[in-house]
Amino acid sequence: MNIASISINRPVLASVLSIIVVLFGVIGFIFLGVREFPSVDPPIITVTTNYVGANPDVIESQITEPLEESINGISGIRTVTSTSSDGRSSIVVEFDLSVDLDNAANDVRDKVSAAIRNLPPDADPPVVVKSDANAETIFSLTVQSDKKTLLELTDLGNNVFKERLQTIKGVSEIRIWGEKKFSMKFNLDPERMAGLGLTALDVKNALLNQNVELPSGRIEGNTVELTIRTFGRLTTEEEFNNLIVAKKGTQIVRLKDVGRANLAPENERTLLRGNHGIPMIGIAINPQPGANYIEIVDEIYKKVEQIKKELPKDVHLGVALDSTQNIRKSISEVEETILIAFGLVVVIIFLFLRDWRTTLIPIIAIPISLIGTFFIMYISNFSINLLTLLGIVLATGLVVDDAIVVMENIYARVERGEDPKEAAHKGSKEILFAIISTTITLTTVFLPIIFLDGLTGRLFREFGVVVAGSVIISAFISLTLTPMMSARLLKKKEKHSRFYKMTEVWLDKLMSGYRNSLTKFMKRPWIAFILMAFCIVLIIWNGLSLKSELAPMEDKGRFQIRSNAPEGTSFERMDFHQQQIIDLIDTLPEKTSIIAVTSPSFNSGAVNAGFVRVNLLPVKDRKRSQEEIVNLLNKRLGEFNFARSFIVQEQTIGGGRQSGLPVQYVLQAPNFETMKETLPKFLEQAIADPVFKIVDVDLKFNKPELQVDIDRDKAESVGVNVNDIASTLQLYFSGQRYGYFIMNGKQYQVIGQAMKEKRDDPSDLSAIQVRSESGELIPLDNLVTVRNESSPPQLFRYNRYVSATVQADVNAGFTVGDGIDAMDKIAEQVLPESFSHSLAGTSKEFAESGSSIIFAGLLALVLVFLVLAAQFESYRDPWIILFTVPLALAGALFSLWLTDQTLNIFSKIGIIVLIGLVTKNGILIVEFANQRREDGLSIKEAIIDACAQRFRPILMTTLATILGALPIALALGDAATSRISMGISIVGGLAFSLILTLFVIPGLYIYLTSKKSKLKP
């Protein structure tokens, strides 16, 4: 007795099994997290080290190189990327997706700790963070005030917002954009100091000696103990200005005699502006890789509401960025799509069955199977995201297939006069093998996907497991609940409704028309091979014609304008350019908010850089698309030719830390000299290539630099050592930290440098004096020579090689695939043999996805063949079934070409799914044909009879699947553009293969099936 018969005889057991599936599904749904896409973020650890005043060359040789050498020995590393810029080293270590983030962080910390002894003693300790220094911000809060200064707002941001929000689960880092942190600035006058016989080193030593607070011990009496506390710290501007620097005879020289101390921002060379250019600060939240964005942002809103109650009335908060708005909208639209698909499937089933009691039997399988899938998602540690929900949309049409086939087979027997219970036993037994075969086959298609690595593997895995899981549950329901309900609800009707009679005539004509045309076709079955050849030609032609990309660009209603001015540009001039960009954006009627940062303190912190982040109205509330607005702005940006500005649109999938222009090509050289010689040639050809509209590179060579050469012999002759010369220059010109002070219970830096007007011209170096061993002051220009040179503002390394990343955006009509091909051609022509090249960002993910999907598709075909061979105990019959795949593939590619779509990760997912979908129809036909041959029919009679009997269920199930995927293809919703290609490939492939399968499979069966008799013994 099989499981169907047990369920028919024990209806309570069958219903309890279904209730358990639903119960566990509901529990799983409650505990599932919500994201936009599956967690595809690789474990990334960033090591940042600050060394104020050091140039990129010093940073690379003394900090980046020792740290990289130590870190490189950790297992599981995918890439090591480093940037050495003025005063900062940033090393980004990306691990394989299988590596645990916490373990990776611990390994990096251990290696960094071991390398600290090799770093300069006055460099700041390296900071290890579990995220990427260039990670995308998911939420940004603006803070502005009518009364408070940016210094006070920054203090509020650090001590209130940052402290409260960084405890939220999943938050990696909180940055203060436009940060103006308190510091005590010593602005020294080198001329007045020289006149009093002082140097900057004297000021620093005086501060270190007079700004101390050491533990002084305690008084221990017989009955009382007192703690001794010595107040030696300076706290106010007045106290610092009265700092005694030196004593010249009876004269006391204080700091105010040689300069001035005042509270000022630690970093005066960064500024954030909002709408209409109003200065403010921004609280930017970066997530940990794999974190649940919606949970983070929901918790942020709760905490901000609590903070608001404590804020002064003059402080105003605003939301400059909330990336979860798109996530929520997309998920809401997919949920609506599920309901639409469910409605369409119900309608198509009712149109075929024309009876609500009969329709209810297969329909009940849909909610049970879909709800049960949430439990599979839960135990697989998945989330509710666009791809898992798309899997459920597709499954809406799939899960009803098995129930339809079982119910229709039982229904046919009931219509022939059999007792419903007996018909349920016989009909379910007859169809049992076909149901198991189709379920195993469809599940097998997704097996290779589960084991794929990288971005594609992660994206496909969740989608594939959801679809396969829902199909397995539906097969279970169709073999338990469906036969039980059929035995109790199906009745032979003596009198049908008028609607039934009208449509039955049409369906009978359709059935007889198909049978007659198939009988004629079978007189010349060799035509099937011609049709197969035509499909193969169509596949090749369309495959070569279609453009390729990672994913279509989605209108997310936000983009960035990035600007880079010529090297050597001052902060004031760069800020003026940013203000011009803000004025341009303010003219856009679609703009809701902007946030602009001049010289971001994170990333490189370059003074000549800035960005403007623009948020737009929802798609339904504006007349122009994001792409149209971007194209308009690109033309207008050409009017501001002082700086190079370009627009970066957020990629639909991927990009991550390298999120910039879509094409990113990393050149790797054995040394800096060969890179400097080759890179300009590569750039020249890339700019001239018609594929690209924007080409940029991160490595520049033209930052103006004053190089100071020390005459060692002369310095030695007058008793001045090289360290004193270097230290004096550092203390006057680098903004060096002299010490610390305490204010309001927090520790801040004391920073010293020459007055602005004493360090704004190269000739100011001549006013600097250095003390010799005899105590005499020697003018610096007697000991050094100064020359003007140019050098790179930043140095880059990729996997320990000197690197430069060329990034580009493609012209209309071209895709990322075209861009990579163009870069490859240029590389072949220009790069020496000693060079190598890699891809980064979206380009890297695109290239990896292509090879992964080809592997998955081929392995799926092999596994399906082997499974079918085992099920049919034949190596011939599986070939007949697999010939349905080219039919569907031809239809899918032709549909994509016809609708001007691309080959992307969504359309490829659709094509992989098609392999499983179309083989189901082939299995039903071949299995029934084999059964008819066992009953004594000839090969031709058997296949014609099998096709005629299976015509209605095949038509019904295929149309149900097509209608289930139709809402995806129609792009119902603002954020559904990227998913169109998936729906089109599935709908087009199924529709095309449905027509051909009903004729080609019978034709091939005649030639390929075993000629041995299949009569029952």
Side-chain angles (χ1 to χ4, degrees):
M1 186 177 287
N2 56 51
I3 189 172
S5 295
I6 293 172
S7 299
I8 294 165
N9 294 333
R10 300 187 61 185
V12 174
L13 173 65
S15 59
V16 166
L17 291 174
S18 297
I19 291 169
I20 290 173
V21 170
V22 172
L23 181 63
F24 277 87
V26 170
I27 293 170
F29 177 80
I30 292 170
F31 290 101
L32 284 172
V34 182
R35 291 175 55 89
E36 183 173 18
F37 287 103
S39 176
V40 293
D41 307 315
I44 291 176
I45 308 297
T46 301
V47 182
T48 305
T49 312
N50 291 326
Y51 187 20
V52 178
N55 69 10
D57 195 45
V58 171
I59 292 287
E60 183 180 59
S61 59
Q62 297 187 26
I63 294 179
T64 305
E65 173 59 30
L67 288 174
E68 268 194 12
E69 186 177 2
S70 181
I71 291 169
N72 200 52
I74 301 172
S75 63
I77 289 179
R78 190 183 183 200
T79 60
V80 178
T81 309
S82 66
T83 303
S84 301
S85 54
D86 282 337
R88 173 178 291 190
S89 164
S90 178
I91 302 173
V92 179
V93 188
E94 181 180 326
F95 289 83
D96 293 331
L97 279 167
S98 57
V99 175
D100 180 75
L101 180 65
D102 292 321
N103 292 339
N106 291 333
D107 289 343
V108 172
R109 287 192 187 101
D110 291 344
K111 292 292 185 180
V112 168
S113 299
I116 283 179
R117 64 178 182 271
N118 299 322
L119 305 185
D122 51 343
D124 291 344
V127 178
V128 179
V129 180
K130 286 192 293 186
S131 79
D132 182 0
N134 302 325
E136 280 297 311
T137 297
I138 62 166
F139 187 87
S140 179
L141 189 73
T142 59
V143 185
Q144 57 180 319
S145 172
D146 305 326
K147 299 177 182 178
K148 288 182 168 51
T149 64
L150 291 177
L151 275 168
E152 293 169 317
L153 288 179
T154 298
D155 190 56
L156 191 67
N158 276 308
N159 299 331
V160 177
F161 287 95
K162 190 171 183 178
E163 287 189 1
R164 304 277 183 88
L165 299 181
Q166 65 189 2
T167 60
I168 294 173
K169 181 184 176 182
V171 170
S172 168
E173 184 181 13
I174 296 180
R175 294 174 177 154
I176 309 295
W177 286 349
E179 183 177 31
K180 300 290 184 181
K181 198 173 182 180
F182 279 115
S183 72
M184 190 63 69
K185 286 285 181 73
F186 286 5
N187 293 293
L188 307 176
D189 187 334
E191 294 176 355
R192 289 165 66 183
M193 291 180 68
L196 291 169
L198 298 174
T199 66
L201 199 56
D202 295 329
V203 176
K204 182 178 181 181
N205 289 334
L207 179 69
L208 293 175
N209 291 329
Q210 297 183 49
N211 184 40
V212 292
E213 185 173 339
L214 299 175
S216 302
R218 57 186 174 270
I219 299 291
E220 299 179 8
N222 291 329
T223 58
V224 177
E225 179 177 287
L226 300 174
T227 302
I228 303 171
R229 184 177 177 187
T230 306
F231 288 92
R233 284 213 178 263
L234 306 174
T235 56
T236 66
E237 288 184 5
E238 184 180 1
E239 289 174 347
F240 277 103
N241 279 312
N242 287 323
L243 172 70
I244 299 173
V245 178
K247 186 177 181 182
K248 300 292 183 180
T250 59
Q251 181 188 4
I252 294 176
V253 180
R254 300 182 185 275
L255 181 65
K256 61 186 177 183
D257 298 325
V258 293
R260 64 180 181 272
N262 61 287
L263 276 175
E266 182 182 309
N267 183 0
E268 297 181 79
R269 304 201 305 173
T270 186
L271 183 63
L272 179 139
R273 298 178 185 273
N275 288 354
H276 313 299
I278 299 171
M280 60 180 69
I281 66 164
I283 315 295
I285 287 86
N286 287 6
Q288 287 183 3
N292 187 325
Y293 292 1
I294 288 181
E295 278 186 6
I296 292 174
V297 173
D298 285 345
E299 193 62 30
I300 288 171
Y301 279 117
K302 291 178 186 176
K303 296 233 175 185
V304 168
E305 285 302 315
Q306 295 173 357
I307 294 171
K308 276 183 180 180
K309 299 173 184 176
E310 307 167 21
L311 293 178
K313 291 183 179 180
D314 61 289
V315 175
H316 310 296
L317 304 181
V319 176
L321 171 69
D322 181 358
S323 63
T324 65
Q325 289 179 350
N326 284 85
I327 300 174
R328 297 174 204 270
K329 182 173 65 175
S330 298
I331 289 176
S332 174
E333 287 170 1
V334 176
E335 289 169 350
E336 291 171 9
T337 303
I338 292 172
L339 295 176
I340 294 169
F342 178 76
L344 291 173
V345 170
V346 170
V347 168
I348 194 67
I349 294 172
F350 178 73
L351 288 177
F352 273 89
L353 301 178
R354 291 145 299 162
D355 179 73
W356 285 114
R357 283 165 61 93
T358 313
T359 303
L360 179 66
I361 298 171
I363 289 303
I364 199 72
I366 298 178
I368 295 174
S369 301
L370 298 187
I371 292 171
T373 305
F374 288 115
F375 181 68
I376 293 176
M377 290 166 58
Y378 172 70
I379 60 175
S380 303
N381 200 26
F382 294 165
S383 62
I384 295 174
N385 56 65
L386 287 183
L387 282 177
T388 52
L389 288 179
L390 280 177
I392 289 174
V393 172
L394 184 61
T396 304
L398 282 178
V399 296
V400 78
D401 286 6
D402 292 337
I404 288 174
V405 171
V406 172
M407 188 277 302
E408 200 277 339
N409 207 45
I410 296 171
Y411 183 69
R413 288 179 170 274
V414 172
E415 285 291 295
R416 291 199 293 268
E418 290 187 21
D419 175 69
K421 191 170 183 178
E422 187 65 27
H425 279 289
K426 290 182 178 178
S428 57
K429 182 181 179 181
E430 190 177 38
I431 205 71
L432 179 68
F433 179 77
I435 295 295
I436 294 173
S437 297
T438 55
T439 302
I440 294 175
T441 303
L442 189 56
T443 306
T444 302
V445 168
F446 295 102
L447 275 179
I449 293 170
I450 293 172
F451 300 106
L452 285 180
D453 290 326
L455 173 79
T456 311
R458 285 292 180 96
L459 291 174
F460 270 67
R461 190 174 304 161
E462 299 205 7
F463 178 86
V465 169
V466 165
V467 175
S470 63
V471 169
I472 291 171
I473 293 173
S474 75
F476 175 74
I477 299 300
S478 66
L479 294 175
T480 55
L481 189 66
T482 303
M484 184 272 285
M485 291 182 68
S486 298
R488 279 151 182 79
L489 295 182
L490 292 182
K491 307 290 180 189
K492 183 180 180 182
K493 285 196 174 183
E494 301 298 334
K495 186 178 180 181
H496 293 285
S497 66
R498 183 182 299 177
F499 175 70
Y500 182 94
K501 292 176 181 177
M502 288 170 57
T503 51
E504 186 66 17
V505 172
W506 180 80
L507 283 173
D508 285 343
K509 286 183 179 178
L510 187 65
M511 173 82 77
S512 60
Y514 167 66
R515 186 170 192 127
N516 292 335
S517 58
L518 178 62
T519 304
K520 292 177 182 177
F521 180 85
M522 294 304 290
K523 293 178 181 177
R524 292 185 277 283
W526 49 265
I527 296 176
F529 290 100
I530 298 175
L531 292 173
M532 285 297 304
F534 169 75
C535 287
I536 291 170
V537 171
L538 199 61
I539 290 169
I540 296 170
W541 181 73
N542 282 319
L544 295 174
S545 304
L546 287 171
K547 301 285 186 181
S548 297
E549 60 184 339
L550 183 65
M553 184 65 72
E554 192 74 76
D555 188 333
K556 294 191 173 184
R558 59 179 183 265
F559 56 86
Q560 281 189 49
I561 302 176
R562 298 186 183 177
S563 299
N564 290 292
E567 296 299 333
T569 298
S570 68
F571 169 76
E572 290 76 14
R573 181 63 183 87
M574 188 67 211
D575 189 50
F576 177 73
H577 173 78
Q578 284 286 94
Q579 186 63 59
Q580 290 180 307
I581 300 293
I582 292 170
D583 292 341
L584 171 63
I585 301 301
D586 278 335
T587 63
L588 290 176
E590 297 90 349
K591 177 232 19 166
T592 57
S593 65
I594 65 168
I595 190 165
V597 182
T598 306
S599 180
S601 57
F602 46 92
N603 295 346
S604 66
V607 176
N608 65 320
F611 71 82
V612 180
R613 194 187 293 269
V614 183
N615 293 318
L616 304 175
L617 290 167
V619 175
K620 65 178 183 295
D621 296 333
R622 49 186 157 95
K623 296 179 181 178
R624 293 184 292 187
S625 68
Q626 178 178 301
E627 189 67 31
E628 289 172 331
I629 294 169
V630 165
N631 291 335
L632 172 69
L633 286 176
N634 271 325
K635 295 175 183 176
R636 296 289 307 277
L637 287 173
E639 300 170 9
F640 309 107
N641 54 14
F642 168 73
R644 180 179 175 81
S645 300
F646 56 88
I647 297 176
V648 176
Q649 299 184 68
E650 188 176 328
Q651 298 297 310
T652 303
I653 298 177
R657 64 189 176 85
Q658 300 287 352
S659 56
L661 297 175
V663 180
Q664 298 190 12
Y665 207 78
V666 184
L667 307 182
Q668 297 164 263
N671 54 62
F672 183 76
E673 287 70 27
T674 53
M675 176 66 79
K676 189 173 182 179
E677 180 183 346
T678 307
L679 183 58
K681 300 175 186 175
F682 190 97
L683 271 180
E684 184 181 354
Q685 291 210 24
I687 292 169
D689 197 297
V691 173
F692 305 116
K693 65 179 177 183
I694 298 172
V695 178
D696 194 28
V697 67
D698 56 3
L699 181 61
K700 310 286 196 309
F701 305 102
N702 57 347
K703 184 174 184 179
E705 184 176 80
L706 277 181
Q707 295 189 353
V708 179
D709 294 318
I710 300 173
D711 189 329
R712 294 174 181 269
D713 293 335
K714 189 181 287 188
E716 181 64 30
S717 67
V718 295
V720 176
N721 62 54
V722 172
N723 183 60
D724 287 342
I725 295 173
S727 297
T728 301
L729 285 170
Q730 185 184 49
L731 293 171
Y732 273 128
F733 295 101
S734 73
Q736 182 78 8
R737 183 183 67 241
Y738 282 27
Y740 295 98
F741 76 105
I742 306 295
M743 186 176 71
N744 299 328
K746 299 287 183 180
Q747 180 172 275
Y748 300 99
Q749 294 188 31
V750 178
I751 296 171
Q753 58 191 359
M755 294 177 173
K756 182 76 166 64
E757 58 271 21
K758 300 295 183 181
R759 54 182 171 86
D760 60 359
D761 191 271
S763 62
D764 288 329
L765 285 173
S766 61
I768 305 301
Q769 301 203 17
V770 61
R771 181 174 283 111
S772 67
E773 291 175 354
S774 63
E776 181 185 359
L777 291 184
I778 308 296
L780 191 65
D781 56 358
N782 290 343
L783 307 176
V784 301
T785 55
V786 180
R787 53 196 168 89
N788 290 304
E789 295 288 345
S790 61
S791 66
Q794 295 172 297
L795 295 172
F796 302 91
R797 295 167 73 90
Y798 185 86
N799 285 342
R800 310 276 285 141
Y801 283 95
V802 174
S803 73
T805 301
V806 180
Q807 50 179 332
D809 198 2
V810 294
N811 277 307
F814 295 98
T815 62
V816 172
D818 298 322
I820 294 172
D821 291 340
M823 289 285 187
D824 285 336
K825 289 177 185 176
I826 297 170
E828 287 179 15
Q829 299 169 9
V830 175
L831 298 186
E833 291 183 0
S834 59
F835 270 66
S836 58
H837 53 81
S838 304
L839 297 173
T842 305
S843 302
K844 183 177 185 178
E845 289 158 356
F846 164 76
E848 290 177 351
S849 72
S851 57
S852 297
I853 288 170
I854 291 171
F855 164 78
L858 292 175
L859 184 56
L861 287 172
V862 172
L863 289 175
V864 167
F865 175 81
L866 294 175
V867 168
L868 291 175
Q871 290 173 346
F872 283 95
E873 194 57 34
S874 167
Y875 284 109
R876 289 189 171 197
D877 289 348
W879 283 111
I880 304 169
I881 296 166
L882 283 182
F883 274 121
T884 58
V885 174
L887 305 178
L889 188 57
L893 294 178
F894 179 71
S895 302
L896 291 171
W897 174 81
L898 196 64
T899 53
D900 199 26
Q901 296 294 318
T902 60
L903 271 178
N904 55 67
I905 199 160
F906 288 103
S907 55
K908 290 171 183 175
I909 287 176
I911 289 170
I912 292 284
V913 171
L914 273 178
I915 296 175
L917 298 184
V918 297
T919 53
K920 291 185 73 170
N921 293 339
I923 290 170
L924 287 174
I925 292 173
V926 172
E927 167 61 14
F928 261 73
N930 289 343
Q931 289 183 15
R932 293 298 172 265
R933 288 181 65 192
E934 290 175 358
D935 293 336
L937 297 181
S938 67
I939 292 177
K940 183 180 285 189
E941 291 171 339
I943 191 65
I944 291 175
D945 188 60
C947 287
Q949 283 205 36
R950 294 294 91 204
F951 175 71
R952 187 179 291 196
I954 285 175
L955 193 62
M956 202 187 313
T957 56
T958 304
L959 287 176
T961 307
I962 287 174
L963 289 176
L966 190 61
I968 305 175
L970 295 177
L972 303 176
D974 297 340
T977 311
S978 58
R979 307 188 289 275
I980 294 176
S981 53
M982 175 195 276
I984 288 175
S985 61
I986 292 173
V987 171
L990 283 175
F992 191 81
S993 65
L994 171 65
I995 300 166
L996 293 182
T997 297
L998 292 170
F999 291 95
V1000 171
I1001 293 300
L1004 296 176
Y1005 187 85
I1006 294 289
Y1007 290 101
L1008 298 181
T1009 192
S1010 173
K1011 302 300 185 288
K1012 293 180 182 178
S1013 173
K1014 296 201 176 193
L1015 284 171
K1016 293 178 183 177

